[in-house]
């Protein structure tokens, strides 16, 4: 092969980037603005022996490229990139280091943390200014050429779920099925396991529509975690933006195919797949981190470096480096990656970790940044859901509500307001705007209520069961003396820290879980539930389980009867959201009187049944929200024809006698749909009727929902 490949190499093409099989050979194309030579290293099928090393012969528009015959799918390869090793000038080229292809569609093998994977010599007096001459190939994962063909069984490309009907569900591929009794043991914790019937049936039963998966892009386990017998469980440490992580594959050799099959199963069940993506940093760390890919290909282009101190990295991510989304080729890589996952794997959207960084320019956050402009005009990305985590740890990092039209954003203000209200730490005035999709943040430039992705829990932080069971975090298992994770949990244990046999405490906790779930699912905006919250999953008080690939993080499917009851409750409130369109309006609702239609779209109600006055708000812990089903549904100036809904929120610890408000339409009455104080089989729910002005004894710490229906 050695003589044959070197003798038969052709010029190839600078496009597409990456390794592309054409049926007769493979075209290799790699961007580097500052390299002097690029070599492709061809390995045996196990990735252990380097069989050949061929220099790419052409350099076009800063892209090295060449075509090698007789290579095809399954071929293992890597790059060696030559150029100046001048860290003070931002250049860290070292051809002794085998590098992963940034555009590789598949990886094989795991990184072995050997000193040879660093571009400098660890322990050298000159530190990262030194040059290490050891070959890193024996310790590196490798890139693999893939066959992109896949039979989608005649499926339409995608069937997007309308935003107003979307209910997100955040889950981890491995942790979700690792303990699932309905998944074959050899498939647990894998893409194949996640696409199993038992999983899909459960997701459908609770009314979710869109499953948001924690990072599945190929990532690296941190050395410091491995030394403590821990792991980077969440996966926010990406090294390959085009490759699904093979650790989640039951058949690692066919990882990409298995991922596509999982997506296909989800689509057959009318469920969307959303990917949590990490384009803000890579696994290469700062100047003392390893050289695995981008750092050795073109460090000065791929990363933001400190001006006039190019040896060092801008660290707006808190991970050591920041991807340079001001560089056109880096923007191209990220958008190419996004389009690849949509076009080739049919995913339905993306949640962008530390999204503020994607909109950073040298002068700070800019919602007209090059990357955001590229996304907004892209005809492929315009068809999928784009969700930003609108903060990072850099200056001016908190940007909730500031992303451009077309984007949705995680709304942590909803989380904080809901937790605080239900534990009695804030009042109605704080919660009210969150129930309406936070219009102060999102009602501008034609953005819709769905732009507010409401959540009460997420992967980082307490589970919902732990929000009502712990006052303080308990992260001792992380090995950081309980110093990691946020101490601002806005939680309450109601009299005992952790599990208790006290029946009254457990009743309050169970009711508070229902209160918060109902608040979440029935508010305007796009709700997001975290896997396991629908049956009371606990992490035993750990609010930062990023390194716990074990029973702390894995979803425990040994569900109690109380948990099964909660599953049915979640299915019910999701069904009510579908059933009553006024709960998911496509327009921001307002309490202003609409003279033309002679209605108020919403009314804030006090316990006396009247409209809330300015003096009623301060300190109020029990109030109602009436949504008029006649509210204008669209931009067309006409009344709606939906049912009117009344929600009552009582965070007070005692019973409140609440007078049910009247509505202009005669010959109607209120029907109780939900009372979180009643057992799920209580006959009163959906059968008992109430007249205007009739008082209802609202139990302390409970949520109620009534629907207005015509008299018989």
């Amino acid at each position: 092969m050695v003589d044959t490949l070197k003798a038969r190499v052709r010029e190839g093409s600078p496009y597409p980037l990456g390794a592309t099989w054409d049926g007769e050979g493979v075209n290799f194309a790699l961007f580097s603005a500052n390299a002097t030579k690029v070599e492709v290293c061809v390995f045996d099928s196990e990735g252990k022996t380097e069989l050949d090393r061929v220099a790419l012969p052409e350099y076009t528009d800063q892209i090295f490229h060449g075509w090698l015959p007789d290579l095809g799918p399954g071929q293992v390869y890597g790059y060696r990139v030559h150029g100046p090793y001048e860290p003070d000038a931002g250049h860290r080229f070292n051809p002794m280091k085998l590098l992963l292809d940034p555009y590789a569609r598949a990886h094989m093998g795991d990184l072995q943390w050997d000193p040879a994977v660093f571009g400098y010599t660890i322990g050298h007096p000159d530190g990262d200014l030194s040059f290490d001459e050891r070959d890193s190939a024996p310790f590196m994962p490798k890139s693999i050429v893939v066959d992109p063909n896949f039979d989608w069984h005649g499926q339409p490309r995608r069937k997007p779920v309308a935003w107003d009907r979307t209910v997100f569900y955040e889950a981890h591929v491995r942790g979700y099925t690792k303990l699932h009794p309905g998944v074959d043991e050899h498939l647990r914790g894998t893409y194949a396991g996640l696409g199993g019937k038992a999983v899909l049936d459960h997701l459908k039963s609770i009314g979710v529509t869109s499953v948001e998966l924690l990072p599945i892009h190929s990532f690296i386990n941190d050395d410091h975690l491995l030394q403590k017998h821990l792991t980077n469980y969440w996966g926010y440490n990406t090294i390959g933006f085009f490759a699904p992580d093979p650790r989640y594959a039951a058949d690692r050799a066919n990882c990409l195919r298995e991922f596509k099959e999982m997506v296909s199963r989800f689509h057959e069940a009318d469920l969307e797949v959303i990917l949590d993506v990490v384009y803000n940093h890579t696994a290469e760390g700062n100047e003392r981190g390893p050289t695995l890919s981008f750092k050795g290909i073109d460090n000065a282009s791929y990363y933001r470096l400190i001006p006039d101190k190019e040896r060092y990295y801008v660290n707006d991510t808190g991970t050591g480096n920041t991807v340079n989304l001001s560089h056109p080729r880096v923007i191209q890589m990220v958008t190419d990656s996004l389009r690849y996952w949509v076009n080739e794997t049919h995913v339905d959207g993306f949640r962008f970790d530390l999204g503020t960084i994607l909109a950073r320019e040298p002068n700070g956050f800019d919602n007209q940044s090059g990357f955001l402009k590229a996304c907004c005009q892209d005809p492929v990305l315009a068809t999928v859901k784009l969700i930003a985590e609108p903060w990072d740890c850099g200056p001016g990092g908190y940007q909730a509500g500031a992303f451009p039209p077309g984007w949705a954003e995680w709304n942590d203000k909803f989380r904080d307001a809901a937790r605080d209200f239900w534990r009695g730490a804030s009042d109605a005035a704080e919660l009210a705007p969150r129930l309406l999709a936070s219009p102060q943040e999102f009602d501008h430039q034609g953005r819709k209520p769905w732009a507010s992705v409401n959540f009460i829990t997420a992967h980082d932080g307490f589970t919902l069961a732990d929000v009502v069971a712990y006052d303080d975090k308990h992260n001792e298992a992380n090995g950081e003396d309980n110093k990691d994770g946020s101490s601002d949990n806005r939680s309450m244990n109601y009299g005992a820290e952790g599990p208790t046999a006290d029946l009254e405490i457990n009743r309050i906790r169970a009711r508070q879980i229902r209160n918060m779930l109902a608040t979440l699912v029935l508010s305007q905006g796009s709700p997001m539930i975290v896997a396991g919250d629908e049956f009371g999953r606990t992490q035993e008080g750990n609010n930062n389980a990023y390194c716990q690939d074990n029973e702390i993080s894995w979803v425990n499917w040994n569900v109690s009867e109380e948990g099964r009851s909660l599953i049915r409750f979640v299915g019910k409130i999701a069904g009510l959201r579908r059933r009553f369109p006024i709960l998911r309006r496509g327009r921001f609702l307002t309490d202003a009187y609409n003279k033309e239609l002679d209605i108020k779209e919403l009314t804030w109600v006090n316990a006396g049944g009247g409209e809330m006055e300015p003096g009623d708000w301060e300190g109020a812990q029990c109030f109602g929200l009436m949504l008029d089903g006649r509210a204008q549904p669209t931009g067309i100036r006409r009344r709606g024809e939906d049912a009117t809904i009344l929600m009552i929120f009582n965070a007070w610890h005692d019973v409140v006698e609440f007078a049910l408000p009247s509505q202009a339409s005669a010959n109607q009455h209120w029907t109780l749909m939900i009372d979180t104080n009643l057992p799920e089989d209580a006959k009163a729910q959906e059968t008992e009727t109430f007249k205007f002005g009739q008082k209802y004894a609202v139990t302390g710490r409970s949520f109620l929902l009534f629907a207005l229906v015509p008299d018989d």
Side-chain angles (χ1 to χ4, degrees):
M1 177 181 285
V2 175
D3 293 337
T4 303
L5 280 181
K6 286 185 176 179
R8 298 173 62 195
V9 62
R10 300 179 190 172
E11 296 82 357
S13 170
Y15 182 84
L17 290 164
T20 307
W21 176 57
D22 63 8
E24 297 180 356
V26 175
N27 188 81
F28 294 92
L30 180 71
F31 158 75
S32 182
N34 296 290
T36 57
K37 183 170 75 169
V38 172
E39 296 172 304
V40 176
C41 300
V42 177
F43 288 82
D44 65 1
S45 60
E46 295 182 348
K48 293 181 178 180
T49 303
E50 184 176 330
L51 303 176
D52 197 3
R53 189 180 301 188
V54 181
L56 296 180
E58 282 291 343
Y59 187 57
T60 304
D61 296 333
Q62 299 183 326
I63 296 173
F64 291 86
H65 56 95
W67 183 88
L68 297 177
D70 302 326
L71 302 183
Q75 180 61 60
V76 182
Y77 73 100
Y79 290 120
R80 296 184 188 273
V81 181
H82 299 250
Y85 189 83
E86 299 172 357
D88 283 331
H91 302 309
R92 296 179 178 271
F93 296 100
N94 187 336
M96 300 305 296
K97 310 305 167 185
L98 188 77
L99 306 174
L100 289 164
D101 183 352
Y103 276 71
R105 268 56 170 176
H107 290 175
M108 74 173 297
D110 299 321
L111 177 68
Q112 299 177 46
W113 283 98
D114 186 272
V117 303
F118 293 81
Y120 65 95
T121 302
I122 294 177
H124 193 283
D126 293 336
D128 66 293
L129 298 178
S130 63
F131 183 86
D132 190 84
E133 297 183 354
R134 288 168 289 190
D135 184 5
S136 69
F139 312 103
M140 280 288 295
K142 312 295 191 299
S143 304
I144 305 177
V145 178
V146 303
D147 180 355
N149 296 316
F150 181 79
D151 182 5
W152 288 97
H153 308 296
Q155 277 192 3
R157 293 193 63 81
R158 285 185 303 106
K159 294 184 288 186
V161 175
W163 267 106
D164 71 298
R165 291 182 173 271
T166 298
V167 178
F168 292 109
Y169 186 83
E170 189 187 40
H172 188 285
V173 170
R174 178 172 168 82
Y176 197 68
T177 64
K178 190 63 180 168
L179 300 175
H180 201 305
V183 175
D184 289 346
E185 190 167 356
H186 73 286
L187 298 179
R188 293 176 186 172
T190 69
Y191 303 121
L194 193 64
K197 185 177 185 301
V199 171
L200 301 178
D201 286 349
H202 172 74
L203 296 172
K204 296 292 287 184
S205 76
I206 59 174
V208 302
T209 67
S210 309
V211 177
E212 184 178 301
L213 298 177
L214 266 68
I216 60 88
H217 287 173
S218 185
F219 67 93
I220 297 298
N221 270 319
D222 310 71
D223 186 36
H224 74 276
L225 292 176
L226 295 175
Q227 290 179 15
K228 293 191 291 186
H229 304 289
L230 298 171
T231 185
N232 192 319
Y233 172 69
W234 287 347
Y236 291 91
N237 203 31
T238 303
I239 196 62
F241 296 116
F242 292 78
D245 197 288
R247 283 167 288 196
Y248 298 151
D251 179 5
R252 290 182 67 140
N254 292 289
C255 177
L256 177 59
R257 179 171 296 275
E258 185 176 322
F259 179 82
K260 290 181 178 180
E261 288 173 349
M262 181 205 75
V263 175
S264 179
R265 299 290 85 76
F266 269 70
H267 287 176
E268 287 174 358
D270 295 322
L271 293 167
E272 292 185 317
V273 176
I274 310 294
L275 299 185
D276 193 336
V277 289
V278 190
Y279 295 112
N280 57 78
H281 75 279
T282 78
E284 291 185 299
N286 61 16
E287 66 276 3
R288 294 186 177 273
T291 297
L292 309 175
S293 181
F294 312 94
K295 186 180 288 185
I297 293 171
D298 195 344
N299 184 68
S301 294
Y302 278 110
Y303 294 115
R304 290 195 187 278
L305 306 178
I306 296 177
D308 301 321
K309 295 181 180 179
E310 284 85 0
R311 175 183 175 185
Y312 303 105
Y313 296 76
V314 172
N315 186 22
D316 289 334
T317 65
T319 64
N321 65 55
T322 303
V323 173
N324 182 15
L325 265 298
S326 295
H327 194 290
R329 287 295 186 184
V330 181
I331 293 176
Q332 178 189 0
M333 179 191 71
V334 174
T335 53
D336 282 352
S337 169
L338 294 169
R339 283 189 295 269
Y340 171 77
W341 290 100
V342 175
N343 289 332
E344 295 298 327
T345 74
H346 292 196
V347 301
D348 303 282
F350 306 92
R351 179 265 187 188
F352 294 82
D353 179 62
L354 301 182
T356 298
I357 285 174
L358 305 179
R360 277 193 186 279
E361 297 291 358
N363 61 340
F365 177 84
D366 183 355
N367 70 0
Q368 293 298 309
S369 70
F371 173 74
L372 292 182
K373 285 179 178 177
C375 288
C376 289
Q377 62 78 43
D378 191 290
V380 173
L381 301 183
T383 68
V384 299
K385 293 179 169 70
L386 303 177
I387 307 156
E389 181 184 38
W391 51 78
D392 64 24
C393 65
Y398 188 80
Q399 295 292 335
F403 277 72
W407 284 73
E409 302 172 42
W410 274 23
N411 186 357
D412 63 329
K413 293 182 179 180
F414 183 98
R415 175 198 64 200
D416 295 348
R419 288 192 186 188
D420 280 348
F421 176 79
W422 284 112
R423 70 189 177 108
S426 70
D427 58 20
E430 292 295 322
L431 182 62
R434 309 308 160 205
L435 304 176
L436 304 179
S438 300
Q440 283 188 316
E441 284 74 27
F442 295 102
D443 187 10
H444 58 85
Q445 297 180 287
R447 301 184 77 181
K448 301 296 184 181
W450 54 254
S452 173
V453 177
N454 303 327
F455 65 100
I456 294 178
T457 60
H459 63 274
D460 51 347
F462 280 153
T463 66
L464 191 54
D466 290 352
V467 168
V468 300
Y470 294 92
D471 281 351
D472 302 301
K473 64 184 180 182
H474 295 271
N475 298 352
E476 290 81 5
N478 296 355
E480 300 179 42
D481 298 323
N482 204 34
K483 295 178 181 178
D484 63 302
S486 174
S487 295
D488 182 21
N489 294 297
R490 301 171 190 254
S491 60
M492 188 173 185
N493 67 21
Y494 300 96
E497 187 75 353
T500 179
D502 188 297
L503 294 179
E504 181 57 26
I505 290 176
N506 286 331
R507 277 194 288 268
I508 293 173
R509 289 176 177 179
R511 197 158 66 246
Q512 289 287 58
I513 288 173
R514 282 171 163 75
N515 294 339
M516 286 188 276
L517 283 170
T519 303
L520 172 64
V521 174
L522 301 176
S523 290
Q524 304 293 309
S526 303
M528 184 185 79
I529 302 169
V530 171
D533 276 354
E534 74 272 21
F535 52 78
R537 182 179 78 90
T538 178
Q539 289 183 169
E540 302 171 5
N542 193 319
N543 75 351
N544 190 35
Y546 75 102
C547 56
Q548 300 295 333
D549 186 8
N550 52 45
E551 288 83 355
I552 292 175
S553 295
W554 299 343
V555 175
N556 182 356
W557 292 94
N558 184 18
V559 182
S560 66
E561 178 52 42
E562 291 81 2
R564 288 191 287 272
S565 174
L566 187 56
I567 289 172
R568 293 188 289 271
F569 176 80
V570 172
K572 179 176 181 177
I573 57 177
L576 291 173
R577 181 180 174 86
R578 293 192 301 272
R579 178 177 168 186
F580 297 115
I582 192 65
L583 295 172
R584 46 183 175 83
R585 267 293 190 259
R587 298 173 59 253
F588 284 93
L589 298 173
T590 174
D591 59 2
Y593 173 67
N594 185 326
K595 184 176 180 180
E596 181 178 350
L597 300 183
D598 190 27
I599 58 170
K600 290 188 68 171
E601 295 179 334
L602 66 89
T603 303
W604 301 105
V605 183
N606 59 33
E611 185 169 357
M612 295 273 282
E613 299 293 338
D616 294 337
W617 287 96
E618 184 176 357
Q621 290 190 298
C622 182
F623 72 104
L625 170 59
M626 185 168 64
L627 302 176
D628 195 321
R630 301 169 299 169
Q632 180 180 331
T634 68
I636 299 173
R637 304 286 287 181
R638 65 184 178 203
R639 285 185 173 187
E641 299 178 350
D642 304 323
T644 292
I645 294 296
L646 170 66
M647 291 181 280
I648 299 175
F649 307 81
N650 184 18
W652 183 242
H653 63 81
D654 206 349
V655 174
V656 173
E657 294 290 335
F658 202 103
L660 302 182
S662 60
Q663 214 242 19
S665 300
N667 303 317
Q668 291 184 308
H669 60 264
W670 293 109
T671 295
L672 177 67
M673 310 301 292
I674 292 176
D675 180 344
T676 57
N677 183 53
L678 297 178
E680 61 177 319
D681 59 353
K683 293 182 179 180
Q685 297 190 91
E686 298 204 39
T687 59
E688 191 170 351
T689 62
F690 301 86
K691 297 179 180 179
F692 295 156
Q694 185 173 345
K695 290 188 176 182
Y696 187 98
V698 180
T699 305
R701 300 189 178 106
S702 65
F703 170 95
L704 288 82
L705 184 141
F706 294 86
L708 195 63
V709 298
D711 293 336
D712 293 334

